[in-house]
Amino acid sequence: MDIEFELNKQSSRLEYKMILPLSNDTQIAKCMSERDLNDLLDSLLDILNLKKIVEKFNCEVEEAKELKKKIDRDSDCEDCSLKLQECYRCGIICGDSILEQILFKELIKNKINVELQMRINKDNSISHYPEPVNPDTILTIPDFYIETKDKKICIYTDGHTYHERTEYQAVRDRSIDRDLQNLGYTVLRYTTSEVRNELDKVINDIKKTMGLQLNQKETGETPCFDGTCIRCGKRMNFNTSRPMCEKCYEIWREFRNYDYIENYCHKCGKEINNMISFNNPLCKNCK
């Protein structure tokens, strides 16, 4: 289908002539206003199930077609919690790199704001996707870029392990890393195995580099409690002014009986009969 432009001299307005060839010597032509053409495009996008993608990501039709193809084809997209939220960056900017897609989605789920494919030039100037790359001035294009108050972090997902890299690849990566560090960047590189098999560890490493505080669940550390709930015996932080865990304290607070006999010494955790109460949470050996 060819579309030609023609000026209607009688109305002095631009009209579109849509020409549909039927055979070598036969065609159908229809003059359309810009509004007519937009309506036709909307209808075609609806028929092709592309309208929602085009409107959501403000992308070109060809990009929308590519995105839809990936969403329909990839099983990982079906149940993705970021579906139709980050599809453009994941499917178009990350491209066909599965490693980048995996790490990108996990970064977003952890509420880490990243920029994809930022261009860093040798003179420390930068540009952003999809601006063209000048091969004479470009230093590197990190997969992910994160900026905090006091850090500029470049992250790479390498498709090879450290032992699989050729000498050229290793020398090139070290050279880029040195140049970036001289320009004030922090560089993180992760292998295929790390991204696929140790993703939580990778995310925690990135958070630490950003200076974020990790909770106990993220670090995998077992909390060190130095006290015991005097009612149920659960380990907790030592606090003689409130020697109960949250659950037992809520029950106790309803009656507030300070002399009610409890079960365990708040400090050593031993079961003590007829001696422990809210007012007296320690056994004689721990006082």
PDB file of all heavy atoms in Angstrom, residues 2 24 30 40 84 92 116 159 168 174 208:
ATOM      1  N   ASP A   2       0.657   2.149  -0.965  1.00  0.00           N
ATOM      2  CA  ASP A   2       1.413   3.395  -1.045  1.00  0.00           C
ATOM      3  C   ASP A   2       0.524   4.549  -0.605  1.00  0.00           C
ATOM      4  O   ASP A   2      -0.668   4.598  -0.921  1.00  0.00           O
ATOM      5  CB  ASP A   2       1.873   3.663  -2.483  1.00  0.00           C
ATOM      6  CG  ASP A   2       2.837   2.592  -2.970  1.00  0.00           C
ATOM      7  OD1 ASP A   2       3.657   2.151  -2.141  1.00  0.00           O
ATOM      8  OD2 ASP A   2       2.743   2.203  -4.146  1.00  0.00           O
ATOM      9  N   ASN A  24      -1.935  -4.791 -11.871  1.00  0.00           N
ATOM     10  CA  ASN A  24      -0.942  -3.937 -12.525  1.00  0.00           C
ATOM     11  C   ASN A  24      -1.536  -2.634 -13.035  1.00  0.00           C
ATOM     12  O   ASN A  24      -0.864  -1.614 -13.097  1.00  0.00           O
ATOM     13  CB  ASN A  24      -0.277  -4.686 -13.682  1.00  0.00           C
ATOM     14  CG  ASN A  24       0.620  -5.807 -13.169  1.00  0.00           C
ATOM     15  OD1 ASN A  24       1.082  -5.750 -12.029  1.00  0.00           O
ATOM     16  ND2 ASN A  24       0.857  -6.813 -14.012  1.00  0.00           N
ATOM     17  N   LYS A  30      -8.226   6.841  -2.266  1.00  0.00           N
ATOM     18  CA  LYS A  30      -9.146   7.536  -1.369  1.00  0.00           C
ATOM     19  C   LYS A  30      -8.414   8.708  -0.736  1.00  0.00           C
ATOM     20  O   LYS A  30      -7.309   8.561  -0.217  1.00  0.00           O
ATOM     21  CB  LYS A  30      -9.655   6.596  -0.275  1.00  0.00           C
ATOM     22  CG  LYS A  30     -10.602   7.260   0.715  1.00  0.00           C
ATOM     23  CD  LYS A  30     -11.128   6.263   1.724  1.00  0.00           C
ATOM     24  CE  LYS A  30     -11.989   6.931   2.781  1.00  0.00           C
ATOM     25  NZ  LYS A  30     -13.175   7.595   2.197  1.00  0.00           N
ATOM     26  N   LEU A  40      -7.844   5.689  11.042  1.00  0.00           N
ATOM     27  CA  LEU A  40      -7.513   4.434  10.382  1.00  0.00           C
ATOM     28  C   LEU A  40      -6.352   3.733  11.094  1.00  0.00           C
ATOM     29  O   LEU A  40      -6.379   2.511  11.314  1.00  0.00           O
ATOM     30  CB  LEU A  40      -7.132   4.697   8.919  1.00  0.00           C
ATOM     31  CG  LEU A  40      -6.663   3.474   8.120  1.00  0.00           C
ATOM     32  CD1 LEU A  40      -7.757   2.416   8.051  1.00  0.00           C
ATOM     33  CD2 LEU A  40      -6.219   3.891   6.727  1.00  0.00           C
ATOM     34  N   LEU A  84       3.769  -5.008  30.777  1.00  0.00           N
ATOM     35  CA  LEU A  84       3.214  -3.729  30.325  1.00  0.00           C
ATOM     36  C   LEU A  84       3.556  -2.579  31.270  1.00  0.00           C
ATOM     37  O   LEU A  84       2.871  -1.571  31.311  1.00  0.00           O
ATOM     38  CB  LEU A  84       1.689  -3.828  30.139  1.00  0.00           C
ATOM     39  CG  LEU A  84       1.242  -4.639  28.919  1.00  0.00           C
ATOM     40  CD1 LEU A  84      -0.263  -4.636  28.785  1.00  0.00           C
ATOM     41  CD2 LEU A  84       1.893  -4.113  27.638  1.00  0.00           C
ATOM     42  N   ILE A  92      13.178  -4.029  24.363  1.00  0.00           N
ATOM     43  CA  ILE A  92      13.805  -3.286  23.270  1.00  0.00           C
ATOM     44  C   ILE A  92      15.228  -2.867  23.620  1.00  0.00           C
ATOM     45  O   ILE A  92      16.167  -3.130  22.868  1.00  0.00           O
ATOM     46  CB  ILE A  92      12.967  -2.048  22.899  1.00  0.00           C
ATOM     47  CG1 ILE A  92      11.573  -2.459  22.424  1.00  0.00           C
ATOM     48  CG2 ILE A  92      13.681  -1.232  21.817  1.00  0.00           C
ATOM     49  CD1 ILE A  92      11.556  -3.307  21.169  1.00  0.00           C
ATOM     50  N   LEU A 116      19.636   2.311  31.240  1.00  0.00           N
ATOM     51  CA  LEU A 116      20.175   1.296  30.357  1.00  0.00           C
ATOM     52  C   LEU A 116      20.938   1.937  29.197  1.00  0.00           C
ATOM     53  O   LEU A 116      20.497   2.928  28.618  1.00  0.00           O
ATOM     54  CB  LEU A 116      19.042   0.434  29.788  1.00  0.00           C
ATOM     55  CG  LEU A 116      18.113  -0.248  30.798  1.00  0.00           C
ATOM     56  CD1 LEU A 116      17.064  -1.076  30.063  1.00  0.00           C
ATOM     57  CD2 LEU A 116      18.881  -1.117  31.757  1.00  0.00           C
ATOM     58  N   GLY A 159      28.787 -12.367  29.277  1.00  0.00           N
ATOM     59  CA  GLY A 159      28.283 -13.649  28.812  1.00  0.00           C
ATOM     60  C   GLY A 159      29.287 -14.769  28.941  1.00  0.00           C
ATOM     61  O   GLY A 159      29.105 -15.843  28.405  1.00  0.00           O
ATOM     62  N   TYR A 168      42.362 -11.178  24.994  1.00  0.00           N
ATOM     63  CA  TYR A 168      41.953  -9.871  24.470  1.00  0.00           C
ATOM     64  C   TYR A 168      40.787  -9.299  25.286  1.00  0.00           C
ATOM     65  O   TYR A 168      40.787  -8.114  25.643  1.00  0.00           O
ATOM     66  CB  TYR A 168      41.551  -9.992  23.001  1.00  0.00           C
ATOM     67  CG  TYR A 168      40.862  -8.752  22.476  1.00  0.00           C
ATOM     68  CD1 TYR A 168      41.581  -7.601  22.164  1.00  0.00           C
ATOM     69  CD2 TYR A 168      39.465  -8.719  22.312  1.00  0.00           C
ATOM     70  CE1 TYR A 168      40.950  -6.454  21.689  1.00  0.00           C
ATOM     71  CE2 TYR A 168      38.825  -7.594  21.855  1.00  0.00           C
ATOM     72  CZ  TYR A 168      39.572  -6.463  21.544  1.00  0.00           C
ATOM     73  OH  TYR A 168      38.945  -5.336  21.101  1.00  0.00           O
ATOM     74  N   ARG A 174      39.804  -4.887  31.567  1.00  0.00           N
ATOM     75  CA  ARG A 174      40.625  -4.236  32.598  1.00  0.00           C
ATOM     76  C   ARG A 174      40.951  -2.799  32.197  1.00  0.00           C
ATOM     77  O   ARG A 174      40.959  -1.897  33.043  1.00  0.00           O
ATOM     78  CB  ARG A 174      41.918  -5.027  32.829  1.00  0.00           C
ATOM     79  CG  ARG A 174      41.720  -6.318  33.617  1.00  0.00           C
ATOM     80  CD  ARG A 174      43.052  -6.824  34.182  1.00  0.00           C
ATOM     81  NE  ARG A 174      43.999  -7.136  33.119  1.00  0.00           N
ATOM     82  CZ  ARG A 174      44.123  -8.343  32.574  1.00  0.00           C
ATOM     83  NH1 ARG A 174      43.356  -9.334  32.976  1.00  0.00           N
ATOM     84  NH2 ARG A 174      45.015  -8.555  31.623  1.00  0.00           N
ATOM     85  N   LYS A 208      24.888  -2.880  48.483  1.00  0.00           N
ATOM     86  CA  LYS A 208      26.006  -2.493  49.348  1.00  0.00           C
ATOM     87  C   LYS A 208      26.856  -1.432  48.670  1.00  0.00           C
ATOM     88  O   LYS A 208      27.305  -0.461  49.300  1.00  0.00           O
ATOM     89  CB  LYS A 208      26.852  -3.718  49.679  1.00  0.00           C
ATOM     90  CG  LYS A 208      26.208  -4.680  50.668  1.00  0.00           C
ATOM     91  CD  LYS A 208      27.123  -5.876  50.922  1.00  0.00           C
ATOM     92  CE  LYS A 208      26.471  -6.886  51.861  1.00  0.00           C
ATOM     93  NZ  LYS A 208      27.330  -8.084  52.076  1.00  0.00           N
TER      94      LYS A 208
END
